[in-house]
Amino acid sequence: MITPDAKLEEIADGVFAYLQLPGSWCLNNAGFLVGSPDAETVLIDTAATEMRARALRETVVAAAGRMPGVLVNTHHHGDHTFGNHLFTPPARVISHPRCRDEILSNGVDLPAIWPDVEWGDIVVTPPTTTFSDRMTLHTPAYDIELIHPGVAHTAGDTAVWLPAQKVLFAGDLIFSEGTPFVFMGSVKGSIAALALLRELGAETVVPGHGPICGPEVYDTVERYLGWVLRLAEDGRAAGIGPREVALEADLGEFATLGESERLVMNLHRAYAELDGVPGGDPLPLPDALVDAIACNGGLPPVCNA
């Protein structure tokens, strides 16, 4: 079963992207790698709700003929991790240590923001294996490089790189046709992460949200993040807060990106960084959400999970 807004694409031999489009709040992408019959299937991320995670599980088993033996979480957000429990066992879950820490500390947090979503029965299931900077999974079919780029989208991001296939599962380091979101990470760190991703030489990029793209997406994300930094620098110098800056900003080329209300949340992070707050340190989420509602015409951000 694939949910109506999801589709499966084989982007290289045995390499599948599971896309939940258009990729708005909590409609994330996942992926999986199907090797030889005696090799473990590797899953990259799960989904936000029990129903969506069950649909993903059915799709993986139908394509691979078995449950995944390995599950990689690209970061801690619930749309990428709430379905972990439906794959364990047999899967062992791998992530950066900060991803594990945040899963444990945040728990089932998204229903507090979107109480009307049918989340289902979510059991918090943290990774059991962690790595600090880089880790390589060797399977009969693939060499899979797990890369922590530093604090970027969050403090515990992982990019999944297949060098032989030149395929990158970027997690939420990359949004395609959607507004980047760095409130829980770092604006400057996200720009630095893009430089690392460029060096890999990917030809196919599976973003955390939105359609599959090529490396040209890096330029769009980088321009957006640079623009956020400039807005923050100018607003801070003028004594204007993030909400006022966001409300007055001309989105220009970024007006076509979905979820534009994320701008004010990104500005909260940019202002904090200018004030010397380390990337990844927690910021007051309720304040940022109130501002996001104000920048969304007085309406809460829409979650279609």
Side-chain angles (χ1 to χ4, degrees):
M1 177 183 73
I2 297 182
T3 56
D5 51 19
K7 66 177 183 176
L8 188 66
E9 290 192 22
E10 187 170 10
I11 52 179
D13 187 21
V15 179
F16 293 87
Y18 184 86
L19 309 174
Q20 298 187 102
L21 300 174
S24 51
W25 289 102
C26 294
L27 289 181
N28 68 301
N29 297 329
F32 58 96
L33 316 178
V34 180
S36 57
D38 59 342
E40 290 183 310
T41 295
V42 178
L43 175 65
I44 302 160
D45 284 334
T46 58
T49 69
E50 181 184 5
M51 181 274 289
R52 289 182 176 276
R54 288 188 182 278
L56 171 62
R57 185 175 68 180
E58 290 182 20
T59 302
V60 174
V61 171
R66 58 191 177 275
M67 285 279 283
V70 176
L71 165 57
V72 179
N73 285 151
T74 61
H75 61 289
H76 73 273
H77 289 158
D79 51 338
H80 296 256
T81 63
F82 275 0
N84 283 6
H85 66 104
L86 293 175
F87 295 90
T88 57
R92 64 187 187 278
V93 187
I94 302 173
S95 78
H96 186 268
R98 285 291 297 272
C99 172
R100 172 183 162 82
D101 292 346
E102 295 292 346
I103 289 173
L104 288 169
S105 63
N106 289 353
V108 184
D109 54 352
L110 294 179
I113 302 174
W114 291 290
D116 295 333
V117 170
E118 293 291 335
W119 297 99
D121 184 14
I122 304 299
V123 180
V124 175
T125 304
T128 54
T129 300
T130 60
F131 71 98
S132 295
D133 297 310
R134 293 197 178 218
M135 178 179 183
T136 302
L137 304 176
H138 298 284
T139 76
Y142 312 102
D143 288 332
I144 307 163
E145 297 183 12
L146 309 182
I147 303 170
H148 172 59
V151 179
H153 172 65
T154 69
D157 296 310
T158 294
V160 181
W161 168 232
L162 307 179
Q165 292 76 21
K166 296 190 180 298
V167 170
L168 175 69
F169 289 88
D172 285 4
L173 297 170
I174 297 296
F175 288 75
S176 173
E177 299 183 6
T179 300
F181 183 60
V182 297
F183 174 75
M184 297 177 185
S186 168
V187 184
K188 295 178 180 178
S190 293
I191 293 173
L194 290 170
L196 184 154
L197 297 185
R198 282 193 176 96
E199 291 176 358
L200 297 176
E203 295 178 358
T204 303
V205 178
V206 182
H209 295 257
I212 294 171
C213 47
E216 68 280 353
V217 73
Y218 304 152
D219 295 334
T220 302
V221 175
E222 186 173 54
R223 286 196 304 273
Y224 175 85
L225 295 171
W227 175 65
V228 170
L229 278 179
R230 292 191 297 274
L231 286 177
E233 290 166 350
D234 293 345
R236 186 169 176 269
I240 303 172
R243 183 194 295 197
E244 291 75 17
V245 170
L247 287 170
E248 295 174 5
D250 178 2
L251 295 179
E253 69 168 304
F254 310 117
T256 60
L257 300 181
E259 301 76 54
S260 62
E261 68 273 9
R262 290 178 184 156
L263 171 59
V264 72
M265 303 183 79
N266 294 332
L267 284 168
H268 273 271
R269 175 56 65 181
Y271 271 66
E273 290 190 75
L274 292 171
D275 289 337
V277 176
D281 277 15
L283 300 180
L285 179 59
D287 294 347
L289 285 173
V290 167
D291 286 351
I293 291 170
C295 293
N296 195 40
L299 299 174
V302 175
C303 175
N304 292 314

